[in-house]
Amino acid sequence: MRIELVKRPQRSALFSVLSPFIAFALTIVAGGIMFALLGVNPFSAFEIYFVEPISQLWQLHELAIKAAPLILIAVGLSVCYKANIWNIGAEGQFVFGAIFGSIIPVMFPGFEGPLVLPLMLLLGMLGGALYASIPALLKTRFSTNEILTSLMLVYVAQLFLDWMVRGPWRDPQGHGFPQTIQFGDWAVLPQLMPDDGRANWGFVFALVAAVAIWLMMSRMLKGFEVRVLGSSPRAGRFAGFGFNKMVFFCFLLSGALAGLAGISEVSGAIGQLQPVISPGYGFTAIIVAFLGRLNPLGIVAAGLVLALTYLGGEAVQSALGISDKVARVFQGMLLFFVLGCDTLIHYRIRLIGLALTKPNGAAKLDAAPKLEEAR
Amino acid sequence: MSANHDGANLLEVRGLTKIFGTLTACNHVDLNIAKGEIHALLGENGAGKSTLVKMLFGSLEPNSGEIFWDGKPVKITSPGVAKKLGIGMVFQHFSLFEALTAAENIALSLNDGSPIGTIAAKARALSYSYGLPLDPESLVGDLSVGERQRIEIIRCLLQTPQLIILDEPTSVLTPQEADKLFETLERLRAEGKSILYISHRLEEVKRICDRATVLRHGKVVGHCNPRQETAASLARMMVGNEVKAVVRAPAEGIETAPALLEIRGLTRKPATPFAIPLKNISLAVRAGEVIGIAGVAGNGQGEFFESVSGEVLQQDAGSVRIRGKDAGALSITGRRLMGAAFVPEERLGHGAAPRMKLSENLLLSRHATDGKAFVSGGMVKNASVYSAAQRIITAMDVRKSAPDPEAAALSGGNLQKFIVGRELDRRPSVMVVNQPTWGVDAGAAAHIRQALIELARSGSAVLVISQDLDELFELSDAIAVMHNGELSQPLPIAEATFEKIGLLMGGAEPGHAEHRMEVA
């Protein structure tokens, strides 16, 4: 027997909207099975995973802290993916944004004042954009596959950060720990409502970015250009839109947003550079982008959901003693089911009987009546 | 195969139906093909001819209906099955590997393990015996379209088929090459083989076919003997009503009118090993005239269009001039801003983005030229784009199912009317169109041609590239011929004949062609 995907003549608008919810429900079912296999009551596990982490106000702040980088990165990626350009390296751009943004507080700790933070944020965006321009340059000059180059550059960035905090940028008074000095007061991203919880301005940046990109994609000529080049490149060339320019635009934009997320995370949530500054935000943001259907407003909701999987992972680890790798499993299942649902919106499955595909069986004329029965 | 009964039907099709989603491409089609006849399958583009043929050749599975071969019911589940039965097919779009030789291409499809030398020898013998000379050692990439078609035909004949299906075989041939093909087909008929001949060219159907089945909107609307019909009566059967003739008022004062589009010594190296280089092309299109460019497909028309439109830039800025100014270094947007408009050959994916609405497709080519009307401060003014799209839809009589449907939801003819209308709406002073009515039904084609003539008569320069000679003779004030990347001098329409143009299409020297005509 053979399974074939047959293109549907029309896509169901209803299921296009429903598919993230169906994917989420399927993830819950599969996750329940996983918890049961781990010997935990799925219902109490789900309560600890999905409900308890957001039952108090300060916990909502934690959710916002986790969601901010996811949303910032994912809205940038959504523009790339709409243009059919595959930036998989946001994690590396995040790291380089953090490194560039940290130049001021680490190398010039004596420089203080209200200019410090805006400069750090701008440098962070510059760092992310510069790092993202490498795969863009390789793609436009040498036609390299941007999926591979951007992904491989993630590991370069991570190792570079590791070397920086162990070598040139290590805090001399840090008792040999691999980390930079603590950022000065002017270099810390302020908290939004310090009385209630830790959430910082990074979440506001994320919301502003989401609305701005939504406006660009749905109302502006630039968004139209992205969509045309993504859906039919030749028609885009006929329209006079340059593909190479678009590659740079997408990489620089998504790189800058990832860089902004990186410096916001370091300046707001961590307060210094250390060997690992991200629990894989740059990769999880890919899931966020697709779960949000590449729509910036949908991405805000999806970012909150994925942020919850991080918090839930920590919660089940402390309450039930289950590895926090559970969070990765949930994220993976979610992406799998989202993509699965999307595929079934575009295609239907057809099973083809064994008899029909046998090269000789079908060819013989007198086999025809038997074939009829076999159906 | 079972015993031959003279005059019996080789193939019989009863109630064959194929449904794609909501479209019934073939609706209870009946068709009988006798042994030793050339049977025409007539119909406009989109009538269901290709769908029917694909079911006969096993590349599509029918939803219902029966096929009888030599009187026995058969299921043709794959092209392999069709070949074993004795059905061979020559496709309109060839499936040949350009980097391989003719013999290697043939060996690939025969797939019976015989050594390449044997195949080459067989192919050579067969090709000469049918008057289709072919060198099996030559690389496909070096061959003309007509020669490539020969490979397809020889490849098909090597499998000794009883029924040969030819899909629009002459659309890529010069008139002289077509004559040669007809001789071969008559030979095959004399040998008792059957041929299913798909075409919308009525004159050739009248000339070589014994019987015809006419399809319209997926249904059989009639069987006839084409020799007893006139081209007009066949057209009526195909279209369902009379087609309005295109009126071309004589152009006046063209000689003194300024040239709005000038091509001066345009040369282009091939971008890929199989692209056609353009060789020193020069042409001037004056205000008020339509110039046609004839030529067999794949002789550089696509490369020429890209160069003129600015999708590909020229090194010499003076090689393309629009309204008296150099445009060779300008992008397509820059050339549009100078007053030029372009309609490419491919509708879906080139002239229009399939998954975008018509209003968005309007923006595609006019975001810069109508920047003030459609865009302000980077924001698209959706309301004015929408109303402009509706204006074009009304002016060109575009039939659609929703107020602003996706381009892919329209039929080919209606989408083409929209794409041409999108450019006409700007009143461009230079209009360059590649294949204005390819795959468009007769009614819509007449509408588009009339609109192009009227644009020219209102003072614009119109350049039409087409492989359809009838169309060019209907439209043009002068016809030039593109052959192997070179362009002949335009012949004024009063001096042009099918034969002269045909000789140029086949690569004859312009002077030589003239001379022969005078002698004849």
Side-chain angles (χ1 to χ4, degrees):
Chain A
M1 200 171 72
R2 187 157 59 103
I3 300 174
E4 241 184 32
L5 289 177
V6 183
K7 197 151 192 154
R8 291 179 194 272
Q10 266 139 355
R11 294 162 295 171
S12 156
L14 176 68
F15 276 93
S16 294
V17 175
L18 283 182
S19 97
F21 299 99
I22 297 171
F24 190 71
L26 289 170
T27 308
I28 297 287
V29 172
I33 296 170
M34 178 182 72
F35 280 131
L37 289 175
L38 287 167
V40 186
N41 178 344
F43 295 98
S44 56
F46 276 128
E47 198 187 340
I48 295 167
Y49 198 103
F50 285 115
V51 183
E52 278 187 7
I54 46 170
S55 52
Q56 292 178 36
L57 190 56
W58 69 269
Q59 290 174 313
L60 290 177
H61 279 254
E62 294 301 311
L63 187 73
I65 288 178
K66 289 271 192 292
L70 291 179
I71 295 169
L72 260 179
I73 300 170
V75 290
L77 292 183
S78 73
V79 177
C80 292
Y81 299 164
K82 277 275 184 194
N84 219 353
I85 291 164
W86 299 96
N87 178 5
I88 306 296
E91 182 83 1
Q93 294 139 26
F94 177 95
V95 167
F96 255 83
I99 294 172
F100 262 62
S102 301
I103 289 175
I104 295 176
V106 174
M107 299 183 73
F108 309 98
F111 175 38
E112 290 181 338
L115 270 182
V116 171
L117 199 57
L119 277 178
M120 283 169 64
L121 297 177
L122 282 176
L123 275 173
M125 291 169 77
L126 182 70
L130 280 180
Y131 204 58
S133 69
I134 300 172
L137 186 73
L138 293 174
K139 182 176 176 64
T140 50
R141 288 278 299 177
F142 305 109
S143 303
T144 52
N145 183 320
E146 74 274 21
I147 298 177
L148 296 176
T149 53
S150 64
L151 177 63
M152 290 192 290
L153 283 167
V154 170
Y155 306 110
V156 176
Q158 287 172 338
L159 291 170
F160 183 73
L161 171 66
D162 193 81
W163 173 74
M164 287 295 278
V165 296
R166 287 175 202 277
W169 279 12
R170 187 171 60 185
D171 179 5
Q173 272 92 52
H175 308 289
F177 281 106
Q179 56 197 27
T180 64
I181 55 168
Q182 285 282 335
F183 289 3
D185 289 343
W186 286 108
V188 171
L189 200 60
Q191 293 173 354
L192 286 170
M193 290 172 270
D195 296 339
D196 298 329
R198 298 200 305 134
N200 58 48
W201 279 84
F203 192 64
V204 177
F205 298 159
L207 295 183
V208 170
V211 172
I213 299 286
W214 174 78
L215 207 64
M216 181 190 91
M217 290 302 287
S218 59
R219 295 275 185 278
M220 294 180 69
L221 192 61
K222 194 74 200 174
F224 176 70
E225 191 177 332
V226 170
R227 288 185 286 127
V228 170
L229 281 171
S231 63
S232 24
R234 197 138 179 246
R237 198 174 64 166
F238 179 69
F241 302 143
F243 182 71
N244 284 354
K245 263 197 220 157
M246 181 53 63
V247 172
F248 273 101
F249 174 79
C250 287
F251 266 101
L252 293 180
L253 177 73
S254 58
L257 288 172
L260 178 64
I263 186 58
S264 302
E265 177 74 6
V266 169
S267 148
I270 305 175
Q272 67 190 152
L273 276 183
Q274 52 196 38
V276 175
I277 54 171
S278 155
Y281 286 136
F283 294 118
T284 308
I286 298 170
I287 307 174
V288 173
F290 280 102
L291 189 64
R293 315 213 59 73
L294 302 184
N295 175 330
L297 303 184
I299 283 170
V300 173
L304 291 168
V305 171
L306 267 294
L308 183 56
T309 63
Y310 278 120
L311 295 180
E314 291 167 10
V316 291
Q317 185 179 30
S318 59
L320 301 173
I322 295 174
S323 161
D324 69 346
K325 292 278 185 291
V326 161
R328 290 287 183 87
V329 176
F330 266 100
Q331 292 172 0
M333 288 196 298
L334 202 49
L335 181 62
F336 173 81
F337 285 122
V338 168
L339 296 181
C341 286
D342 280 1
T343 306
L344 291 180
I345 287 172
H346 289 282
Y347 300 89
R348 66 187 173 82
I349 291 176
R350 194 170 70 163
L351 298 177
I352 291 168
L354 194 60
L356 281 174
T357 58
K358 269 191 188 166
N360 292 325
K364 278 185 198 151
L365 291 181
D366 44 7
K370 282 182 212 152
L371 287 177
E372 198 59 57
E373 288 163 29
R375 285 193 181 187
Chain B
M1 305 310 134
S2 64
N4 274 338
H5 305 286
D6 278 339
N9 281 330
L10 178 68
L11 181 86
E12 213 177 315
V13 170
R14 281 191 215 144
L16 212 59
T17 300
K18 179 69 191 176
I19 300 170
F20 297 109
T22 55
L23 175 83
T24 307
C26 282
N27 194 350
H28 291 94
V29 170
D30 294 333
L31 174 70
N32 296 324
I33 299 175
K35 285 179 181 140
E37 77 163 339
I38 302 183
H39 193 110
L41 190 57
L42 273 174
E44 292 198 282
N45 280 288
K49 295 177 307 217
S50 295
T51 307
L52 174 60
V53 164
K54 279 180 186 160
M55 289 192 286
L56 295 182
F57 196 60
S59 26
L60 276 178
E61 202 181 334
N63 292 84
S64 62
E66 293 168 299
I67 301 173
F68 295 88
W69 179 262
D70 256 346
K72 285 184 193 163
V74 289
K75 288 225 176 284
I76 305 173
T77 51
S78 74
V81 177
K83 281 180 196 168
K84 281 207 173 159
L85 284 176
I87 301 176
M89 172 135 187
V90 178
F91 287 95
Q92 187 178 6
H93 301 284
F94 307 149
S95 45
L96 296 170
F97 294 97
E98 297 192 330
L100 299 182
T101 66
E104 283 166 340
N105 268 289
I106 293 171
L108 268 174
S109 71
L110 288 182
N111 197 21
D112 61 358
S114 32
I116 195 102
T118 321
I119 291 174
K122 268 197 211 163
R124 192 191 306 270
L126 200 64
S127 72
Y128 282 94
S129 75
Y130 280 105
L132 299 169
L134 176 74
D135 174 13
E137 313 299 336
S138 50
L139 272 184
V140 170
D142 299 335
L143 297 180
S144 74
V145 185
E147 288 170 311
R148 290 180 199 203
Q149 190 185 49
R150 282 183 204 165
I151 302 177
E152 291 268 359
I153 294 174
I154 297 297
R155 172 155 94 175
C156 175
L157 291 179
L158 274 175
Q159 292 161 352
T160 56
Q162 295 304 305
L163 171 67
I164 301 158
I165 304 173
L166 294 157
D167 190 0
E168 302 272 357
T170 55
S171 65
V172 294
L173 300 181
T174 64
Q176 289 81 358
E177 282 175 317
D179 284 343
K180 248 187 179 165
L181 175 71
F182 297 153
E183 284 170 26
T184 308
L185 295 185
E186 276 156 9
R187 280 268 295 279
L188 287 167
R189 170 171 58 192
E191 290 171 15
K193 297 196 193 285
S194 307
I195 291 164
L196 182 59
Y197 189 89
I198 302 164
S199 185
H200 62 262
R201 296 194 172 171
L202 305 172
E203 289 300 338
E204 53 185 56
V205 166
K206 271 172 62 64
R207 177 169 158 195
I208 61 160
C209 296
D210 306 303
R211 281 199 302 156
T213 298
V214 186
L215 283 180
R216 193 195 313 150
H217 302 316
K219 284 186 188 156
V220 173
V221 292
H223 302 275
C224 62
N225 178 347
R227 294 200 175 94
Q228 293 166 0
E229 302 284 332
T230 64
S233 68
L234 286 173
R236 217 165 22 241
M237 281 175 85
M238 267 166 65
V239 180
N241 51 35
E242 297 284 346
V243 175
K244 225 168 66 189
V246 172
V247 187
R248 185 164 53 86
E252 281 164 20
I254 283 181
E255 287 74 14
T256 56
L260 297 182
L261 175 67
E262 290 165 276
I263 317 287
R264 292 185 182 172
L266 174 65
T267 297
R268 183 177 162 199
K269 291 198 181 75
T272 68
F274 304 116
I276 305 291
L278 300 180
K279 296 168 200 157
N280 197 19
I281 291 178
S282 293
L283 179 73
V285 191
R286 298 176 183 282
E289 72 176 344
V290 181
I291 297 230
I293 295 187
V296 176
N299 269 290
Q301 294 97 326
E303 288 84 353
F304 177 69
F305 179 84
E306 278 183 342
S307 304
V308 175
S309 72
E311 288 171 277
V312 173
L313 304 184
Q314 286 74 54
Q315 289 189 332
D316 173 9
S319 60
V320 175
R321 290 166 61 86
I322 294 169
R323 292 170 74 191
K325 292 204 183 79
D326 288 356
L330 294 178
S331 69
I332 186 165
T333 302
R335 295 182 198 192
R336 283 190 180 125
L337 288 170
M338 293 174 83
F342 309 98
V343 175
E345 176 177 2
E346 287 266 328
R347 286 183 281 271
L348 286 174
H350 192 177
R355 283 286 176 202
M356 289 196 161
K357 293 175 192 161
L358 287 187
S359 59
E360 292 176 297
N361 271 303
L362 169 61
L363 202 57
L364 193 73
S365 74
R366 291 181 51 181
H367 59 88
T369 53
D370 299 65
K372 283 203 186 101
F374 295 154
V375 184
S376 112
M379 308 292 269
V380 176
K381 295 200 230 166
N382 283 325
S384 24
V385 177
Y386 181 84
S387 63
Q390 295 304 317
R391 181 173 74 221
I392 292 161
I393 286 167
T394 314
M396 295 301 288
D397 186 26
V398 177
R399 316 265 170 90
K400 59 198 171 36
S401 52
D404 194 9
E406 286 181 354
L410 261 62
S411 74
N414 279 306
L415 182 59
Q416 185 70 1
K417 282 196 277 188
F418 181 81
I419 292 175
V420 172
R422 169 176 83 185
E423 308 304 332
L424 291 176
D425 183 62
R426 267 176 61 203
R427 315 284 334 148
S429 41
V430 173
M431 178 96 162
V432 182
V433 192
N434 194 2
Q435 299 280 37
T437 62
W438 186 82
V440 171
D441 62 79
H447 192 137
I448 289 171
R449 288 171 194 161
Q450 193 66 54
L452 289 173
I453 291 171
E454 277 159 21
L455 177 70
R457 294 299 180 260
S458 72
S460 302
V462 177
L463 182 62
V464 175
I465 305 167
S466 179
Q467 285 149 41
D468 185 343
L469 276 187
D470 297 317
E471 166 169 273
L472 290 176
F473 273 85
E474 209 170 289
L475 270 173
S476 317
D477 299 307
I479 299 179
V481 177
M482 184 163 273
H483 175 75
N484 203 12
E486 288 180 271
L487 190 70
S488 73
Q489 278 297 315
L491 276 177
I493 196 73
E495 298 169 27
T497 60
F498 264 63
E499 196 174 359
K500 275 189 197 173
I501 301 293
L503 284 170
L504 289 169
M505 284 165 72
E509 290 295 315
H512 178 62
E514 290 284 343
H515 180 70
R516 274 203 24 198
M517 292 335 298
E518 278 157 25
V519 172

